[in-house]
Amino acid sequence: MSVFTGAVHIFWGIPFIVFYNVLAGLLRAVGDSRTPVFFLVAASLLNIGLDFLLVLVIPMGVAGTAWATVISQAVSGLGCFLFILKKMPLLHVGREDLKPRPRYMKRLCGMGLPMGLQTSITAVGNVILQTSVNGLGSVAVASVTAASKLSSFFSTATDSLGVTMSTYAGQNIGAGKPERIGKGLKAGMFIGSIYSVLALGITFFFGKSLVHLFVEGSQEVIINQAYQYMLVNALFFIPLTGVNAIRLLIQGMGYSKLAMFAGVFEMVARGVTGLVLVPAFGFIAACFASPIAWIMADSFLILAYRRVMKQVRRWGK
């Protein structure tokens, strides 16, 4: 029941998440990417403090952690709002801006809905893969769970790079300078590749130590399998960089439908791996599920990017 109560609180906090994301997106669109990060870091620290207060000092249990999350999200959104109010007159909203504009609403939905579907489609592939991993036993499940958390932590940098590329592409399309987009992508891939090599090195030398954060030292089989999973994923962080950078670059140029199909490729790759390869080859196949999905997505995205750039250059002439 307490878990259900916590979920309800988180659900009611969704408007605050939307509030922050919209305002942060507006700030990034006008070239200010530091302020949203500042308020996000402040909200994260507040969340940690409230977790201690509402769980240890005031024993509210799961509901306390939920309230801590909701309050911190509200603070981050409010911080962005006050900053815009005082420092960004360009983003101030007047009466004329409040009038519904069907043309803009249709365009935003046309871009936003495929992006939402992309996430859902990718999640379907993850569910199929997880079902196959569950069939390998509790040791495999524990190994994948621990390794996935650490791999997700390492991939946050490439996720952020993708958001950067989306903003960069949108700004240059708006400024009528599409010739800069290719240069930006090369620079982004260079930065992402350097990070990928560093992340691989950290995983190779310190991966097992990191797994100990989630797994007791006596569980050697889980530690070894989790390390194997992390290492295989880290070997393919450069293709992951390509997925995030190119997909969000295409989205930033307004071609979210094309970007959505990359999610279809990922879903198919994870689905085939889960249904065919994992039963045949066991845990090692699960380790290669995400890398295969990233390579499949890249194979589509590279072609899509070339097609989009041809159209953009044609418009610029």
Side-chain angles (χ1 to χ4, degrees), residues 255 258 302-312 314:
Y255 293 85
L258 275 177
I302 291 171
L303 295 176
Y305 167 74
R306 290 177 177 174
R307 176 185 173 186
V308 167
M309 287 306 298
K310 285 182 180 179
Q311 293 184 0
V312 170
R314 196 178 302 126

Side-chain angles (χ1 to χ4, degrees), residues 28 33 157 159-171 248-249:
R28 294 189 190 104
S33 59
D159 293 340
S160 299
L161 178 64
V163 174
T164 302
M165 297 310 301
S166 177
T167 304
Y168 177 84
Q171 289 174 339
L248 287 168
L249 188 83

Side-chain angles (χ1 to χ4, degrees), residues 169-182:
Q171 289 174 339
N172 282 283
I173 289 293
K177 298 180 179 179
E179 69 279 359
R180 297 181 60 190
I181 293 176

Side-chain angles (χ1 to χ4, degrees), residues 236-295:
F236 293 88
F237 274 169
I238 291 179
L240 173 60
T241 299
V243 172
N244 287 324
I246 302 174
R247 177 162 58 195
L248 287 168
L249 188 83
I250 291 173
Q251 287 182 357
M253 289 190 284
Y255 293 85
S256 54
K257 292 180 181 179
L258 275 177
M260 179 187 69
F261 283 104
V264 175
F265 275 73
E266 285 192 71
M267 180 194 70
V268 171
R270 286 195 174 94
V272 171
T273 302
L275 295 175
V276 180
L277 299 182
V278 172
F281 299 100
F283 184 78
I284 188 62
C287 296
F288 279 93
S290 289
I292 292 172
W294 299 334
I295 292 171

Side-chain angles (χ1 to χ4, degrees), residues 16 23 33 58 67-68 76 85 106 145 164 186 247 269 310:
F16 296 117
L23 296 180
S33 59
I58 305 174
W67 274 114
S76 63
L85 198 63
K106 181 180 178 180
T145 300
T164 302
K186 290 179 181 178
R247 177 162 58 195
K310 285 182 180 179

